Amino acid sequence: MDTSNSAKKRAMSPSTDTEARYRKGKNSIKRLKVEERDAEPQAIRPKREEPNNEEPMFPLPPFCQTPGPISVSQSYIRRLILEHWNTEIRYCEKAKKLGQLEIGPAPGLRLTIIQASLQRLVAERWDAEVKRCEEAKRAQLLELLLAAHGIMRLV
C-alpha cells in the first residue's frame, strides 16, 4: 500500500490549508511588528504615580455614602407580598398532592392502613406549612399597613 498517494488524495483540513497559504505568503493579513506598536514617544505616556503612604487607601465620599431610601408605593409592595406568599401556598398545595400520589396505591388496589396513615401525615404536614405561609403573609401585610401610618414598632 502506497501511503504517499493516499495522503495526496485526502483533502487538507481547513487549519492546515490556512497554514499552507500563510507560509506561501498568500495571506492578506498584515501584522505589525512589535517595535512599530511600541514606537510611541515617551512624552505622551502618562507617568505612573507612586502611592502616597500618608493618605488612607479607601474611596472618597461619593463612593462611601449610603444611598437614601427608595420611595415605592404601598400598593406595589402589597402586590409583591401577595404574589410571593400566594406562590408559596401554591407550591405547598402542589407538593401535598405529589406526596399523596407517591404513597397512593397501585391502580385497581385499595389503600392499606399504612398508606392511608402516611397520606394523612403528608397532608397534615403540608397543611401546617400552608397555615404558616398564610400567617406570614398576614403579618407582612400588617407591618406594611402600620409602616404606612408611621408606626415602626409595637411596644
Side-chain angles (χ1 to χ4, degrees), residues 22-57:
Y22 186 74
R23 277 191 227 119
K24 291 179 183 177
K26 294 181 181 180
N27 195 358
S28 63
I29 298 173
K30 294 183 180 179
R31 302 193 185 270
L32 294 175
K33 293 182 180 178
V34 177
E35 298 84 34
E36 291 176 7
R37 273 191 288 165
D38 291 337
E40 205 173 78
Q42 293 293 328
I44 296 175
R45 288 186 183 172
K47 293 183 180 179
R48 178 179 278 182
E49 294 180 18
E50 294 298 321
N52 188 354
N53 293 335
E54 296 172 9
E55 294 180 21
M57 299 292 288

Side-chain angles (χ1 to χ4, degrees), residues 39-86:
E40 205 173 78
Q42 293 293 328
I44 296 175
R45 288 186 183 172
K47 293 183 180 179
R48 178 179 278 182
E49 294 180 18
E50 294 298 321
N52 188 354
N53 293 335
E54 296 172 9
E55 294 180 21
M57 299 292 288
F58 55 85
L60 296 176
F63 303 108
C64 61
Q65 293 176 355
T66 304
I70 299 171
S71 299
V72 179
S73 69
Q74 182 183 2
S75 61
Y76 177 69
I77 294 176
R78 185 176 190 280
R79 189 176 64 202
L80 289 178
I81 292 169
L82 289 173
E83 284 178 5
H84 171 74
W85 288 112
N86 288 338

